[in-house]
Amino acid sequence: VNCVDNYYNIATTGVTQPQVRITTSDAYDSEPAVALLVNSTKTFSVNLVTMGSAIITAEDTLAAGTNYLSDVSPSITVGVGAAVKLQLLVPGEGAVAGSGTGKTGTPTARTTGTAFNVTVNCVDANWNKVVTANPQVDIFTSDLYDTEPSEAFLSAGTKTYSVTLVTAGTTVVTAKDLASVYTESISPSITVNPNTVVKLQLLVPGEGAVPGYSGGKTGTPANQTVGTAFTVTVNGVDANWNLVSSAGTTVKVATSDLYDTEPANAALVAGTKTFSVTPKTAGIMVITASDVGGTGLTNNVSPNITVGVGAAVKLQLLVPSETALPGSGTGKAGSMISETAGNPFIVTVNCVDANWNKVISVNGTNITITTSDPYDTEPTSLTLGAGTSTFNVTLQKAGTTVI
């Protein structure tokens, strides 16, 4: 900057040295400090950061009355610098070349299962796009269960990629140069909301919800015991097993146990509800959660649940034509048939739990059979083996008898 007369001669005598400010049209550069000219001249260092064009202005900052007229440069072409890094832009963000972060805006919330585009630019140190830099870029996210886009080369320094997140919560997206030449770029945290509720999820003890995962849960059902209550959880979820807190449909929980008392229907609260189940029948049980609220959510069925017998508490006597019916109210089915005096028949004794399930772990218990027939010879006492034993009975007196 020179201080000059009307004919652009440097003024060397009788001049009040101006204090000069240098400004540019580059919104993001750091401009030089204000400084006094010395002998009517001074050099200033300018570092432009935004490609395109710029003008530079020199103005006198001294008080009115001593000011010298400002001067403005012609338009200066500003070229891009060397490519050094990647820039990742997600929805809600826009590129701002030359700025400190290279972009503006805040990521907008996304929805699980809904695709959106992200843009990758290869840029110089000041976030100006370098059209001649076209690395092969990998896009990956912190969502453990999404299917990430294929690696692809940039074209003219840029490329858009489609991303579909499947897990509700928060996610970050990363753009990485496979050749590791250019610095990777990581997005800010992105809020990911669940999608529309479409189905029910049933969780039994031993299972845990895993939103976004193809099966929606992990673990194996824990063994249960006849007569002991346990809790199951029903969630209203989207297509990717994310809990939808707005779901409030009424749910029915039913089991394959023919004799248990099933829990009352109940509405989901904030998308979830627990139900108490008490099995009556030992063996294998499955549980089904159904939408009975009219919203058409898909049912969900548990894996097989092993139900063990309860504690041995009583004996069960089965006479001919009677069969064991574990879990039922009486523990057996069938109607009495007539026997004939003098003809032997077989009765079976089982050791059972409170719900008539045979307890095969009971061995050695001594069992005696007696009848109301005063003249029969009653069978010899026997011990149980694997929770059961059979006896031959021969009644002698016609009429009715109890055993």
Side-chain angles (χ1 to χ4, degrees):
V1 176
N2 296 319
C3 186
V4 296
D5 64 16
N6 284 331
Y7 300 99
Y8 293 99
N9 300 287
I10 294 178
T12 57
T13 59
V15 177
T16 301
Q17 296 297 310
Q19 183 172 263
V20 174
R21 176 187 293 113
I22 298 294
T23 58
T24 80
S25 60
D26 189 328
Y28 303 107
D29 67 336
S30 296
E31 293 168 348
V34 173
L36 286 169
L37 302 191
V38 178
N39 295 327
S40 296
T41 189
K42 185 160 182 69
T43 59
F44 296 81
S45 179
V46 174
N47 184 20
L48 302 172
V49 296
T50 308
M51 67 175 295
S53 62
I55 57 172
I56 303 175
T57 300
E59 61 180 338
D60 177 9
T61 65
L62 292 181
T66 59
N67 288 74
Y68 298 101
L69 296 178
S70 300
D71 195 22
V72 179
S73 75
S75 180
I76 303 167
T77 298
V78 184
V80 67
V84 295
K85 56 189 176 183
L86 300 178
Q87 177 187 55
L88 174 66
L89 302 171
V90 300
E93 295 182 319
V96 183
S99 66
T101 60
K103 56 186 176 179
T104 188
T106 303
T108 54
R110 301 288 94 197
T111 301
T112 59
T114 301
F116 61 96
N117 286 336
V118 301
T119 300
V120 179
N121 298 321
C122 194
V123 295
D124 66 12
N126 293 295
W127 306 104
N128 298 284
K129 184 167 65 177
V130 183
V131 298
T132 57
N134 295 298
Q136 187 177 17
V137 172
D138 181 25
I139 298 292
F140 56 93
T141 80
S142 58
D143 186 331
L144 296 177
Y145 305 111
D146 66 336
T147 301
E148 290 165 350
S150 300
E151 301 151 358
F153 288 96
L154 304 190
S155 176
T158 191
K159 176 79 177 169
T160 58
Y161 300 79
S162 180
V163 175
T164 303
L165 302 170
V166 296
T167 309
T170 58
T171 299
V172 295
V173 182
T174 299
K176 181 177 177 61
D177 170 22
L178 289 183
S180 298
V181 174
Y182 305 108
T183 303
E184 68 181 20
S185 181
I186 302 174
S187 75
S189 183
I190 303 168
T191 297
V192 185
N193 295 319
N195 213 315
T196 304
V197 59
V198 295
K199 58 188 175 181
L200 298 176
Q201 177 186 54
L202 174 67
L203 301 172
V204 302
E207 295 182 318
V210 185
Y213 176 57
S214 59
K217 57 185 175 180
T218 188
T220 302
N223 293 346
Q224 302 302 321
T225 302
V226 164
T228 301
F230 62 94
T231 297
V232 301
T233 299
V234 179
N235 297 323
V237 295
D238 67 12
N240 292 292
W241 304 103
N242 298 281
L243 179 70
V244 181
S245 61
S246 61
T249 191
T250 298
V251 172
K252 177 180 177 62
V253 169
T255 80
S256 59
D257 189 329
L258 297 178
Y259 305 109
D260 66 339
T261 301
E262 292 173 347
N265 298 347
L268 303 182
V269 178
T272 190
K273 181 69 179 175
T274 58
F275 297 82
S276 180
V277 175
T278 304
K280 294 289 186 69
T281 310
I284 299 297
M285 169 192 278
V286 295
I287 303 176
T288 301
S290 305
D291 174 14
V292 293
T295 55
L297 303 186
T298 303
N299 298 348
N300 195 219
V301 181
S302 74
N304 287 345
I305 303 168
T306 299
V307 181
V309 298
V313 295
K314 57 188 177 183
L315 298 178
Q316 178 188 56
L317 176 65
L318 300 173
V319 299
S321 82
E322 291 183 323
T323 57
L325 206 59
S328 65
T330 61
K332 57 186 175 181
S335 301
M336 291 285 185
I337 60 173
S338 296
E339 299 297 336
T340 302
N343 288 347
F345 59 92
I346 294 173
V347 299
T348 300
V349 177
N350 296 321
C351 189
V352 294
D353 65 15
N355 292 287
W356 304 104
N357 297 280
K358 184 166 68 177
V359 184
I360 64 174
S361 61
V362 176
N363 294 285
T365 299
N366 199 51
I367 302 298
T368 299
I369 294 293
T370 59
T371 80
S372 60
D373 185 333
Y375 306 114
D376 69 335
T377 301
E378 291 172 343
T380 303
S381 297
L382 296 174
T383 56
L384 297 178
T388 192
S389 189
T390 58
F391 298 83
N392 282 308
V393 175
T394 305
L395 300 173
Q396 300 296 327
K397 183 181 177 181
T400 58
T401 300
V402 294
I403 303 175

